[in-house]
Amino acid sequence: MDLYFDNAATTRLSERALEAYIRTEREFFANPSSVHREGRKAKEELERIRESMAGMLGVKSGNLFFTSGATESIGAFFSSLLWMEPGKAITSRIEHEALSSWLPILGKQGWKCETVRSRKGSVKKEDLKELLTPDTKLVSVMAVSNVSGEIEDIKGLCECVREYESSLRHRILFFSDSVQALGKIPYSLTELGIDGASFSAHKINGPRGIGLLYLRNPGSFRSLAPAGGQEGGKRGGTENLPAIAAFEEAAKQWLLNAEENQRKAKEINTMLRRGLQEAGLEILSSENSSNYILLLSTPFPSEVFVRMLSDRGISASSGSACSNNAKGESERIMQAMGIRQDKAGNAVRISISNDTGKEDAEHLVKTVKEIINGR
Ligand code: PLP
C-alpha cells in the first residue's frame, strides 16, 4: 500500500482539474492576446475564470493576476518595491525561501531589512510593534507555516500596522504568503485587510506552474516584468490558460466545500496526533496549526526516518521539501521557531490533503509503531 503524506510539498492533480486542463487546451487553444475570434474566445474564458476565482476569494477580479506559481507572485510583489524609495522591510523569520531570498536583493538596493522573531512559530503583535519605525514601508508575514503548519494572526498583525501607520504620511504595505492557507484554514482577503498575497495551485490538487497574485491596490503596483502587457501589465507572458482552468477546478473543490474538508482534516489530524504520540513521537506543531500539516520529532535523524517510511511505501518529508536546500531551510526555520537543534535534526513533516482517508492515517500510525518497535 503506497501512501502519500507530503502534500505540503505538492498534491496529486485531481481528476476534475486534469479534465479541465485537457478540455481547455482543446477548446481554447488560441492566445488570449490575439484579436481574431479564437483569441477573443480564449480571452473571454480567461476573464470568466478570473471572475470565478475572485468570487471564491471574495474580491474583485481586477485584484487577481495569474502567475507561474507562488514564487513568481512573491517575486512580482517584492521586485515592485525596487521602484520605490528604499525604506524598512520587516519580515518574519519563518518565511519560505521564495520570499526570504529577496531580502539580500532589497538590502543591496538600500532597504533596511529586519526580521521579527517568532515565538514557537508564532509572530506576536508586541514583537512586530517594537520594530515599526517611521521609515517602515513593508511588513510581510506568511499566513501558515509550510514547515510546522502554525497559523499566524495576520488580521491582528495587519491591524497593528494600520494603527501605527495612522501617524505616518505613507501606507505600510502588508504582504502575506498565503500558499498553505488557501482552502486549509478559514481565510478571507477582505477581512485581513492586507495589500498583497500569493497562492499556488499545486498545493490544492491543481497543476504545478500556476499561481495567483492578489493586489489590493493594483493601480499603485509597478511591475519589473510587464513584457507584453498581459495580466494588466503586472505579469508579462502568454497566459497558461489550461493550467488556469485546472486551478479554477481545483479551487472549486477546495473552497466551495472548505468547511466540510477542514472538518475531515481535523478528524484525521486528531487521529494522527494521538496515534503518533502513542507510538513515541513528539508533536512539534502547536495546537494552533493547520490541520493539514504535522511536524514531529522522531527518535532517528530525519533522513533516516523518512527513508524507513519510504521503504514501507509511505512518502513524508524532513521539514520543508519544496526547496533544493530543503533540509538546511527547514532547520533554519525550526531554529527560528525555538526548536532545539537535536529535535530539529530528527524532525519529520506529515502533510495531508483532502484525498487523505482515515484508513491512510491508521496505516501510517501502524507503520510508525512497527518502525519504533524495531519490526
Ligand atoms: N510559499 C510557501 C509557504 C510554500 O509552501 C511554497 C511551496 O513550495 C511556495 C511559497 C512556493 O510555491 P510555488 O511552488 O508555487 O512557487
Side-chain angles (χ1 to χ4, degrees), residues 8-10 68-74 94-99 142-147 177-180 198-203 208-211 320-323 349:
T10 199
S68 67
T71 301
E72 194 189 21
S73 301
I74 296 166
I94 56 165
E95 297 297 319
H96 189 278
E97 250 180 328
L99 195 144
M142 73 199 313
V144 172
S145 161
N146 55 303
V147 173
D177 177 11
S178 302
V179 166
Q180 301 288 351
S198 46
F199 304 98
S200 179
H202 73 99
K203 309 291 179 170
R208 283 164 276 199
I210 195 78
S320 143
C322 28
S323 152
R349 181 185 68 183

PDB file of all heavy atoms in Angstrom, residues 8-10 68-74 94-99 142-147 177-180 198-203 208-211 320-323 349, ligand 1:
ATOM      1  N   ALA A   8       2.166  19.064   1.596  1.00  0.00           N
ATOM      2  CA  ALA A   8       2.578  20.472   1.724  1.00  0.00           C
ATOM      3  C   ALA A   8       3.645  20.790   0.678  1.00  0.00           C
ATOM      4  O   ALA A   8       3.871  21.951   0.344  1.00  0.00           O
ATOM      5  CB  ALA A   8       3.099  20.756   3.128  1.00  0.00           C
ATOM      6  N   ALA A   9       4.290  19.748   0.152  1.00  0.00           N
ATOM      7  CA  ALA A   9       5.280  19.953  -0.913  1.00  0.00           C
ATOM      8  C   ALA A   9       4.562  20.074  -2.251  1.00  0.00           C
ATOM      9  O   ALA A   9       4.776  21.012  -3.013  1.00  0.00           O
ATOM     10  CB  ALA A   9       6.270  18.793  -0.951  1.00  0.00           C
ATOM     11  N   THR A  10       3.709  19.113  -2.516  1.00  0.00           N
ATOM     12  CA  THR A  10       2.814  19.210  -3.678  1.00  0.00           C
ATOM     13  C   THR A  10       1.722  18.159  -3.524  1.00  0.00           C
ATOM     14  O   THR A  10       1.912  17.164  -2.807  1.00  0.00           O
ATOM     15  CB  THR A  10       3.550  19.035  -5.026  1.00  0.00           C
ATOM     16  OG1 THR A  10       2.718  19.577  -6.065  1.00  0.00           O
ATOM     17  CG2 THR A  10       3.873  17.594  -5.355  1.00  0.00           C
ATOM     18  N   SER A  68       3.141  32.156 -12.633  1.00  0.00           N
ATOM     19  CA  SER A  68       3.569  30.756 -12.808  1.00  0.00           C
ATOM     20  C   SER A  68       3.662  30.021 -11.466  1.00  0.00           C
ATOM     21  O   SER A  68       4.184  28.917 -11.409  1.00  0.00           O
ATOM     22  CB  SER A  68       4.923  30.710 -13.503  1.00  0.00           C
ATOM     23  OG  SER A  68       5.908  31.246 -12.633  1.00  0.00           O
ATOM     24  N   GLY A  69       3.209  30.641 -10.397  1.00  0.00           N
ATOM     25  CA  GLY A  69       3.263  29.982  -9.080  1.00  0.00           C
ATOM     26  C   GLY A  69       3.526  31.016  -8.001  1.00  0.00           C
ATOM     27  O   GLY A  69       3.736  32.205  -8.290  1.00  0.00           O
ATOM     28  N   ALA A  70       3.530  30.558  -6.764  1.00  0.00           N
ATOM     29  CA  ALA A  70       3.699  31.497  -5.653  1.00  0.00           C
ATOM     30  C   ALA A  70       5.072  32.166  -5.679  1.00  0.00           C
ATOM     31  O   ALA A  70       5.203  33.343  -5.343  1.00  0.00           O
ATOM     32  CB  ALA A  70       3.497  30.776  -4.332  1.00  0.00           C
ATOM     33  N   THR A  71       6.091  31.421  -6.093  1.00  0.00           N
ATOM     34  CA  THR A  71       7.432  32.018  -6.136  1.00  0.00           C
ATOM     35  C   THR A  71       7.412  33.259  -7.031  1.00  0.00           C
ATOM     36  O   THR A  71       7.951  34.311  -6.677  1.00  0.00           O
ATOM     37  CB  THR A  71       8.466  30.992  -6.666  1.00  0.00           C
ATOM     38  OG1 THR A  71       8.439  29.862  -5.788  1.00  0.00           O
ATOM     39  CG2 THR A  71       9.865  31.561  -6.718  1.00  0.00           C
ATOM     40  N   GLU A  72       6.736  33.141  -8.171  1.00  0.00           N
ATOM     41  CA  GLU A  72       6.675  34.298  -9.072  1.00  0.00           C
ATOM     42  C   GLU A  72       5.775  35.401  -8.516  1.00  0.00           C
ATOM     43  O   GLU A  72       6.070  36.590  -8.688  1.00  0.00           O
ATOM     44  CB  GLU A  72       6.206  33.883 -10.471  1.00  0.00           C
ATOM     45  CG  GLU A  72       6.481  34.994 -11.458  1.00  0.00           C
ATOM     46  CD  GLU A  72       5.866  34.796 -12.825  1.00  0.00           C
ATOM     47  OE1 GLU A  72       4.915  34.019 -12.965  1.00  0.00           O
ATOM     48  OE2 GLU A  72       6.342  35.460 -13.746  1.00  0.00           O
ATOM     49  N   SER A  73       4.683  35.015  -7.846  1.00  0.00           N
ATOM     50  CA  SER A  73       3.798  36.036  -7.254  1.00  0.00           C
ATOM     51  C   SER A  73       4.575  36.860  -6.231  1.00  0.00           C
ATOM     52  O   SER A  73       4.486  38.086  -6.198  1.00  0.00           O
ATOM     53  CB  SER A  73       2.597  35.378  -6.558  1.00  0.00           C
ATOM     54  OG  SER A  73       1.865  34.602  -7.469  1.00  0.00           O
ATOM     55  N   ILE A  74       5.334  36.155  -5.391  1.00  0.00           N
ATOM     56  CA  ILE A  74       6.136  36.841  -4.363  1.00  0.00           C
ATOM     57  C   ILE A  74       7.191  37.718  -5.050  1.00  0.00           C
ATOM     58  O   ILE A  74       7.389  38.880  -4.694  1.00  0.00           O
ATOM     59  CB  ILE A  74       6.803  35.803  -3.418  1.00  0.00           C
ATOM     60  CG1 ILE A  74       5.734  35.039  -2.647  1.00  0.00           C
ATOM     61  CG2 ILE A  74       7.800  36.479  -2.472  1.00  0.00           C
ATOM     62  CD1 ILE A  74       6.237  33.768  -1.948  1.00  0.00           C
ATOM     63  N   ILE A  94      10.351  33.023   9.631  1.00  0.00           N
ATOM     64  CA  ILE A  94       9.963  31.662   9.233  1.00  0.00           C
ATOM     65  C   ILE A  94       9.459  31.617   7.788  1.00  0.00           C
ATOM     66  O   ILE A  94       8.835  30.652   7.376  1.00  0.00           O
ATOM     67  CB  ILE A  94       8.884  31.101  10.195  1.00  0.00           C
ATOM     68  CG1 ILE A  94       7.689  32.040  10.255  1.00  0.00           C
ATOM     69  CG2 ILE A  94       9.460  30.861  11.577  1.00  0.00           C
ATOM     70  CD1 ILE A  94       6.460  31.418  10.880  1.00  0.00           C
ATOM     71  N   GLU A  95       9.752  32.676   7.030  1.00  0.00           N
ATOM     72  CA  GLU A  95       9.262  32.731   5.649  1.00  0.00           C
ATOM     73  C   GLU A  95       9.920  31.668   4.779  1.00  0.00           C
ATOM     74  O   GLU A  95      11.073  31.278   4.990  1.00  0.00           O
ATOM     75  CB  GLU A  95       9.549  34.110   5.038  1.00  0.00           C
ATOM     76  CG  GLU A  95       8.846  35.258   5.725  1.00  0.00           C
ATOM     77  CD  GLU A  95       7.339  35.191   5.644  1.00  0.00           C
ATOM     78  OE1 GLU A  95       6.802  34.847   4.589  1.00  0.00           O
ATOM     79  OE2 GLU A  95       6.682  35.489   6.673  1.00  0.00           O
ATOM     80  N   HIS A  96       9.195  31.261   3.762  1.00  0.00           N
ATOM     81  CA  HIS A  96       9.700  30.346   2.734  1.00  0.00           C
ATOM     82  C   HIS A  96      10.818  31.069   1.962  1.00  0.00           C
ATOM     83  O   HIS A  96      10.793  32.297   1.829  1.00  0.00           O
ATOM     84  CB  HIS A  96       8.531  30.010   1.799  1.00  0.00           C
ATOM     85  CG  HIS A  96       8.793  28.921   0.816  1.00  0.00           C
ATOM     86  ND1 HIS A  96       9.459  29.138  -0.372  1.00  0.00           N
ATOM     87  CD2 HIS A  96       8.464  27.622   0.827  1.00  0.00           C
ATOM     88  CE1 HIS A  96       9.525  28.006  -1.041  1.00  0.00           C
ATOM     89  NE2 HIS A  96       8.925  27.064  -0.338  1.00  0.00           N
ATOM     90  N   GLU A  97      11.751  30.284   1.421  1.00  0.00           N
ATOM     91  CA  GLU A  97      12.858  30.866   0.644  1.00  0.00           C
ATOM     92  C   GLU A  97      12.379  31.704  -0.541  1.00  0.00           C
ATOM     93  O   GLU A  97      13.075  32.632  -0.962  1.00  0.00           O
ATOM     94  CB  GLU A  97      13.700  29.725   0.073  1.00  0.00           C
ATOM     95  CG  GLU A  97      15.053  29.592   0.700  1.00  0.00           C
ATOM     96  CD  GLU A  97      15.812  28.435   0.073  1.00  0.00           C
ATOM     97  OE1 GLU A  97      15.169  27.448  -0.327  1.00  0.00           O
ATOM     98  OE2 GLU A  97      17.046  28.534  -0.010  1.00  0.00           O
ATOM     99  N   ALA A  98      11.207  31.376  -1.063  1.00  0.00           N
ATOM    100  CA  ALA A  98      10.667  32.156  -2.187  1.00  0.00           C
ATOM    101  C   ALA A  98      10.590  33.626  -1.792  1.00  0.00           C
ATOM    102  O   ALA A  98      10.681  34.517  -2.632  1.00  0.00           O
ATOM    103  CB  ALA A  98       9.280  31.636  -2.568  1.00  0.00           C
ATOM    104  N   LEU A  99      10.420  33.876  -0.505  1.00  0.00           N
ATOM    105  CA  LEU A  99      10.332  35.250  -0.006  1.00  0.00           C
ATOM    106  C   LEU A  99      11.650  35.709   0.621  1.00  0.00           C
ATOM    107  O   LEU A  99      12.181  36.776   0.285  1.00  0.00           O
ATOM    108  CB  LEU A  99       9.186  35.349   1.002  1.00  0.00           C
ATOM    109  CG  LEU A  99       8.741  36.769   1.328  1.00  0.00           C
ATOM    110  CD1 LEU A  99       7.232  36.824   1.527  1.00  0.00           C
ATOM    111  CD2 LEU A  99       9.447  37.333   2.532  1.00  0.00           C
ATOM    112  N   MET A 142       3.948  35.291   6.639  1.00  0.00           N
ATOM    113  CA  MET A 142       3.193  34.236   5.953  1.00  0.00           C
ATOM    114  C   MET A 142       1.948  33.848   6.764  1.00  0.00           C
ATOM    115  O   MET A 142       1.929  33.994   7.991  1.00  0.00           O
ATOM    116  CB  MET A 142       4.079  33.018   5.697  1.00  0.00           C
ATOM    117  CG  MET A 142       4.414  32.205   6.915  1.00  0.00           C
ATOM    118  SD  MET A 142       5.868  31.122   6.703  1.00  0.00           S
ATOM    119  CE  MET A 142       5.577  30.324   5.142  1.00  0.00           C
ATOM    120  N   ALA A 143       0.905  33.373   6.080  1.00  0.00           N
ATOM    121  CA  ALA A 143      -0.358  33.063   6.766  1.00  0.00           C
ATOM    122  C   ALA A 143      -0.273  31.738   7.531  1.00  0.00           C
ATOM    123  O   ALA A 143      -0.787  31.626   8.648  1.00  0.00           O
ATOM    124  CB  ALA A 143      -1.500  33.022   5.758  1.00  0.00           C
ATOM    125  N   VAL A 144       0.364  30.748   6.906  1.00  0.00           N
ATOM    126  CA  VAL A 144       0.510  29.431   7.539  1.00  0.00           C
ATOM    127  C   VAL A 144       1.916  28.914   7.214  1.00  0.00           C
ATOM    128  O   VAL A 144       2.325  28.953   6.045  1.00  0.00           O
ATOM    129  CB  VAL A 144      -0.548  28.425   7.003  1.00  0.00           C
ATOM    130  CG1 VAL A 144      -0.275  27.014   7.513  1.00  0.00           C
ATOM    131  CG2 VAL A 144      -1.962  28.855   7.386  1.00  0.00           C
ATOM    132  N   SER A 145       2.616  28.446   8.236  1.00  0.00           N
ATOM    133  CA  SER A 145       3.979  27.936   8.009  1.00  0.00           C
ATOM    134  C   SER A 145       3.939  26.622   7.225  1.00  0.00           C
ATOM    135  O   SER A 145       3.193  25.708   7.585  1.00  0.00           O
ATOM    136  CB  SER A 145       4.674  27.706   9.352  1.00  0.00           C
ATOM    137  OG  SER A 145       5.775  26.843   9.173  1.00  0.00           O
ATOM    138  N   ASN A 146       4.776  26.524   6.205  1.00  0.00           N
ATOM    139  CA  ASN A 146       4.845  25.275   5.438  1.00  0.00           C
ATOM    140  C   ASN A 146       5.642  24.209   6.188  1.00  0.00           C
ATOM    141  O   ASN A 146       5.595  23.045   5.831  1.00  0.00           O
ATOM    142  CB  ASN A 146       5.475  25.519   4.057  1.00  0.00           C
ATOM    143  CG  ASN A 146       6.838  26.168   4.140  1.00  0.00           C
ATOM    144  OD1 ASN A 146       6.982  27.239   4.714  1.00  0.00           O
ATOM    145  ND2 ASN A 146       7.836  25.521   3.593  1.00  0.00           N
ATOM    146  N   VAL A 147       6.355  24.616   7.239  1.00  0.00           N
ATOM    147  CA  VAL A 147       7.150  23.644   7.993  1.00  0.00           C
ATOM    148  C   VAL A 147       6.349  23.040   9.144  1.00  0.00           C
ATOM    149  O   VAL A 147       6.273  21.817   9.286  1.00  0.00           O
ATOM    150  CB  VAL A 147       8.462  24.300   8.517  1.00  0.00           C
ATOM    151  CG1 VAL A 147       9.210  23.361   9.448  1.00  0.00           C
ATOM    152  CG2 VAL A 147       9.344  24.692   7.349  1.00  0.00           C
ATOM    153  N   ASP A 177       2.296  35.678   2.352  1.00  0.00           N
ATOM    154  CA  ASP A 177       2.401  34.481   1.516  1.00  0.00           C
ATOM    155  C   ASP A 177       1.354  33.493   2.050  1.00  0.00           C
ATOM    156  O   ASP A 177       1.473  32.992   3.164  1.00  0.00           O
ATOM    157  CB  ASP A 177       3.823  33.920   1.634  1.00  0.00           C
ATOM    158  CG  ASP A 177       4.009  32.622   0.865  1.00  0.00           C
ATOM    159  OD1 ASP A 177       3.113  32.256   0.086  1.00  0.00           O
ATOM    160  OD2 ASP A 177       5.063  31.978   1.057  1.00  0.00           O
ATOM    161  N   SER A 178       0.321  33.243   1.234  1.00  0.00           N
ATOM    162  CA  SER A 178      -0.838  32.505   1.733  1.00  0.00           C
ATOM    163  C   SER A 178      -0.993  31.127   1.099  1.00  0.00           C
ATOM    164  O   SER A 178      -2.091  30.552   1.079  1.00  0.00           O
ATOM    165  CB  SER A 178      -2.097  33.344   1.505  1.00  0.00           C
ATOM    166  OG  SER A 178      -1.960  34.584   2.163  1.00  0.00           O
ATOM    167  N   VAL A 179       0.112  30.612   0.582  1.00  0.00           N
ATOM    168  CA  VAL A 179       0.098  29.328  -0.129  1.00  0.00           C
ATOM    169  C   VAL A 179      -0.539  28.212   0.703  1.00  0.00           C
ATOM    170  O   VAL A 179      -1.381  27.462   0.217  1.00  0.00           O
ATOM    171  CB  VAL A 179       1.550  28.944  -0.520  1.00  0.00           C
ATOM    172  CG1 VAL A 179       1.653  27.493  -0.937  1.00  0.00           C
ATOM    173  CG2 VAL A 179       2.040  29.841  -1.633  1.00  0.00           C
ATOM    174  N   GLN A 180      -0.114  28.089   1.959  1.00  0.00           N
ATOM    175  CA  GLN A 180      -0.578  26.952   2.770  1.00  0.00           C
ATOM    176  C   GLN A 180      -1.888  27.265   3.497  1.00  0.00           C
ATOM    177  O   GLN A 180      -2.373  26.451   4.282  1.00  0.00           O
ATOM    178  CB  GLN A 180       0.498  26.540   3.791  1.00  0.00           C
ATOM    179  CG  GLN A 180       1.829  26.140   3.169  1.00  0.00           C
ATOM    180  CD  GLN A 180       1.815  24.788   2.437  1.00  0.00           C
ATOM    181  OE1 GLN A 180       0.840  24.027   2.521  1.00  0.00           O
ATOM    182  NE2 GLN A 180       2.874  24.485   1.721  1.00  0.00           N
ATOM    183  N   SER A 198       0.099  35.739  -1.999  1.00  0.00           N
ATOM    184  CA  SER A 198       0.488  34.775  -3.037  1.00  0.00           C
ATOM    185  C   SER A 198      -0.216  33.442  -2.791  1.00  0.00           C
ATOM    186  O   SER A 198      -0.404  33.037  -1.637  1.00  0.00           O
ATOM    187  CB  SER A 198       2.001  34.557  -2.993  1.00  0.00           C
ATOM    188  OG  SER A 198       2.433  34.370  -1.659  1.00  0.00           O
ATOM    189  N   PHE A 199      -0.581  32.786  -3.896  1.00  0.00           N
ATOM    190  CA  PHE A 199      -1.255  31.480  -3.834  1.00  0.00           C
ATOM    191  C   PHE A 199      -0.662  30.567  -4.905  1.00  0.00           C
ATOM    192  O   PHE A 199      -0.143  31.053  -5.912  1.00  0.00           O
ATOM    193  CB  PHE A 199      -2.757  31.649  -4.117  1.00  0.00           C
ATOM    194  CG  PHE A 199      -3.446  32.615  -3.212  1.00  0.00           C
ATOM    195  CD1 PHE A 199      -3.669  33.929  -3.613  1.00  0.00           C
ATOM    196  CD2 PHE A 199      -3.863  32.231  -1.942  1.00  0.00           C
ATOM    197  CE1 PHE A 199      -4.296  34.839  -2.774  1.00  0.00           C
ATOM    198  CE2 PHE A 199      -4.486  33.131  -1.093  1.00  0.00           C
ATOM    199  CZ  PHE A 199      -4.706  34.436  -1.512  1.00  0.00           C
ATOM    200  N   SER A 200      -0.814  29.273  -4.699  1.00  0.00           N
ATOM    201  CA  SER A 200      -0.264  28.315  -5.653  1.00  0.00           C
ATOM    202  C   SER A 200      -1.249  27.166  -5.876  1.00  0.00           C
ATOM    203  O   SER A 200      -1.802  26.634  -4.911  1.00  0.00           O
ATOM    204  CB  SER A 200       1.053  27.776  -5.079  1.00  0.00           C
ATOM    205  OG  SER A 200       1.595  26.836  -5.947  1.00  0.00           O
ATOM    206  N   ALA A 201      -1.442  26.790  -7.151  1.00  0.00           N
ATOM    207  CA  ALA A 201      -2.437  25.751  -7.468  1.00  0.00           C
ATOM    208  C   ALA A 201      -2.020  24.360  -7.005  1.00  0.00           C
ATOM    209  O   ALA A 201      -2.856  23.553  -6.597  1.00  0.00           O
ATOM    210  CB  ALA A 201      -2.675  25.728  -8.978  1.00  0.00           C
ATOM    211  N   HIS A 202      -0.690  24.082  -7.050  1.00  0.00           N
ATOM    212  CA  HIS A 202      -0.297  22.680  -6.831  1.00  0.00           C
ATOM    213  C   HIS A 202      -0.361  22.244  -5.368  1.00  0.00           C
ATOM    214  O   HIS A 202      -0.117  21.078  -5.052  1.00  0.00           O
ATOM    215  CB  HIS A 202       1.065  22.379  -7.472  1.00  0.00           C
ATOM    216  CG  HIS A 202       2.264  22.950  -6.801  1.00  0.00           C
ATOM    217  ND1 HIS A 202       3.052  22.209  -5.960  1.00  0.00           N
ATOM    218  CD2 HIS A 202       2.829  24.173  -6.853  1.00  0.00           C
ATOM    219  CE1 HIS A 202       4.067  22.968  -5.544  1.00  0.00           C
ATOM    220  NE2 HIS A 202       3.948  24.162  -6.065  1.00  0.00           N
ATOM    221  N   LYS A 203      -0.721  23.178  -4.473  1.00  0.00           N
ATOM    222  CA  LYS A 203      -0.889  22.777  -3.069  1.00  0.00           C
ATOM    223  C   LYS A 203      -2.333  22.370  -2.798  1.00  0.00           C
ATOM    224  O   LYS A 203      -2.678  21.953  -1.704  1.00  0.00           O
ATOM    225  CB  LYS A 203      -0.498  23.921  -2.132  1.00  0.00           C
ATOM    226  CG  LYS A 203       0.854  24.540  -2.414  1.00  0.00           C
ATOM    227  CD  LYS A 203       2.023  23.633  -2.098  1.00  0.00           C
ATOM    228  CE  LYS A 203       3.336  24.341  -2.446  1.00  0.00           C
ATOM    229  NZ  LYS A 203       4.509  23.654  -1.972  1.00  0.00           N
ATOM    230  N   ARG A 208       1.079  22.049 -11.266  1.00  0.00           N
ATOM    231  CA  ARG A 208       2.259  22.836 -10.919  1.00  0.00           C
ATOM    232  C   ARG A 208       2.426  23.944 -11.952  1.00  0.00           C
ATOM    233  O   ARG A 208       1.920  23.835 -13.060  1.00  0.00           O
ATOM    234  CB  ARG A 208       3.499  21.937 -10.936  1.00  0.00           C
ATOM    235  CG  ARG A 208       3.561  21.088  -9.698  1.00  0.00           C
ATOM    236  CD  ARG A 208       4.524  19.955  -9.852  1.00  0.00           C
ATOM    237  NE  ARG A 208       3.861  18.846 -10.522  1.00  0.00           N
ATOM    238  CZ  ARG A 208       4.301  17.600 -10.493  1.00  0.00           C
ATOM    239  NH1 ARG A 208       5.395  17.314  -9.850  1.00  0.00           N
ATOM    240  NH2 ARG A 208       3.650  16.648 -11.112  1.00  0.00           N
ATOM    241  N   GLY A 209       3.131  24.995 -11.563  1.00  0.00           N
ATOM    242  CA  GLY A 209       3.442  26.053 -12.534  1.00  0.00           C
ATOM    243  C   GLY A 209       2.318  27.045 -12.768  1.00  0.00           C
ATOM    244  O   GLY A 209       2.271  27.682 -13.826  1.00  0.00           O
ATOM    245  N   ILE A 210       1.390  27.135 -11.808  1.00  0.00           N
ATOM    246  CA  ILE A 210       0.360  28.172 -11.936  1.00  0.00           C
ATOM    247  C   ILE A 210       0.024  28.717 -10.545  1.00  0.00           C
ATOM    248  O   ILE A 210      -0.101  27.963  -9.585  1.00  0.00           O
ATOM    249  CB  ILE A 210      -0.893  27.658 -12.705  1.00  0.00           C
ATOM    250  CG1 ILE A 210      -1.781  28.823 -13.148  1.00  0.00           C
ATOM    251  CG2 ILE A 210      -1.686  26.621 -11.938  1.00  0.00           C
ATOM    252  CD1 ILE A 210      -1.253  29.542 -14.364  1.00  0.00           C
ATOM    253  N   GLY A 211      -0.069  30.026 -10.463  1.00  0.00           N
ATOM    254  CA  GLY A 211      -0.346  30.650  -9.162  1.00  0.00           C
ATOM    255  C   GLY A 211      -1.097  31.948  -9.331  1.00  0.00           C
ATOM    256  O   GLY A 211      -1.469  32.332 -10.454  1.00  0.00           O
ATOM    257  N   SER A 320      10.586  21.070   5.312  1.00  0.00           N
ATOM    258  CA  SER A 320      10.089  21.618   4.061  1.00  0.00           C
ATOM    259  C   SER A 320      10.735  20.902   2.881  1.00  0.00           C
ATOM    260  O   SER A 320      11.946  20.824   2.804  1.00  0.00           O
ATOM    261  CB  SER A 320      10.435  23.106   4.021  1.00  0.00           C
ATOM    262  OG  SER A 320      10.783  23.510   2.745  1.00  0.00           O
ATOM    263  N   ALA A 321       9.918  20.397   1.951  1.00  0.00           N
ATOM    264  CA  ALA A 321      10.501  19.651   0.840  1.00  0.00           C
ATOM    265  C   ALA A 321      10.416  20.413  -0.459  1.00  0.00           C
ATOM    266  O   ALA A 321      10.676  19.869  -1.509  1.00  0.00           O
ATOM    267  CB  ALA A 321       9.804  18.325   0.687  1.00  0.00           C
ATOM    268  N   CYS A 322      10.025  21.684  -0.378  1.00  0.00           N
ATOM    269  CA  CYS A 322       9.796  22.381  -1.645  1.00  0.00           C
ATOM    270  C   CYS A 322      10.967  23.272  -2.007  1.00  0.00           C
ATOM    271  O   CYS A 322      10.812  24.335  -2.558  1.00  0.00           O
ATOM    272  CB  CYS A 322       8.478  23.139  -1.617  1.00  0.00           C
ATOM    273  SG  CYS A 322       7.955  23.662  -0.004  1.00  0.00           S
ATOM    274  N   SER A 323      12.149  22.841  -1.650  1.00  0.00           N
ATOM    275  CA  SER A 323      13.338  23.631  -1.989  1.00  0.00           C
ATOM    276  C   SER A 323      14.464  22.641  -2.250  1.00  0.00           C
ATOM    277  O   SER A 323      14.481  21.541  -1.716  1.00  0.00           O
ATOM    278  CB  SER A 323      13.646  24.518  -0.783  1.00  0.00           C
ATOM    279  OG  SER A 323      15.011  24.810  -0.710  1.00  0.00           O
ATOM    280  N   ARG A 349       7.977  15.859   8.614  1.00  0.00           N
ATOM    281  CA  ARG A 349       6.695  16.531   8.377  1.00  0.00           C
ATOM    282  C   ARG A 349       5.731  15.588   7.665  1.00  0.00           C
ATOM    283  O   ARG A 349       6.063  15.000   6.640  1.00  0.00           O
ATOM    284  CB  ARG A 349       6.909  17.778   7.512  1.00  0.00           C
ATOM    285  CG  ARG A 349       5.618  18.537   7.256  1.00  0.00           C
ATOM    286  CD  ARG A 349       5.821  19.700   6.304  1.00  0.00           C
ATOM    287  NE  ARG A 349       6.136  19.243   4.957  1.00  0.00           N
ATOM    288  CZ  ARG A 349       6.424  20.044   3.942  1.00  0.00           C
ATOM    289  NH1 ARG A 349       6.464  21.352   4.119  1.00  0.00           N
ATOM    290  NH2 ARG A 349       6.686  19.550   2.742  1.00  0.00           N
TER     291      ARG A 349
HETATM  292  N1  PLP B   1       5.428  29.691  -0.132  1.00  0.00           N
HETATM  293  C1  PLP B   1       5.122  28.602   0.600  1.00  0.00           C
HETATM  294  C2  PLP B   1       4.675  28.783   2.014  1.00  0.00           C
HETATM  295  C3  PLP B   1       5.225  27.329   0.054  1.00  0.00           C
HETATM  296  O1  PLP B   1       4.918  26.259   0.798  1.00  0.00           O
HETATM  297  C4  PLP B   1       5.651  27.204  -1.285  1.00  0.00           C
HETATM  298  C5  PLP B   1       5.828  25.839  -1.835  1.00  0.00           C
HETATM  299  O2  PLP B   1       6.765  25.464  -2.424  1.00  0.00           O
HETATM  300  C6  PLP B   1       5.942  28.362  -2.014  1.00  0.00           C
HETATM  301  C7  PLP B   1       5.825  29.584  -1.402  1.00  0.00           C
HETATM  302  C8  PLP B   1       6.372  28.299  -3.472  1.00  0.00           C
HETATM  303  O3  PLP B   1       5.268  27.957  -4.273  1.00  0.00           O
HETATM  304  P1  PLP B   1       5.427  27.579  -5.823  1.00  0.00           P
HETATM  305  O4  PLP B   1       5.925  26.173  -5.877  1.00  0.00           O
HETATM  306  O5  PLP B   1       4.048  27.726  -6.398  1.00  0.00           O
HETATM  307  O6  PLP B   1       6.358  28.562  -6.437  1.00  0.00           O
END
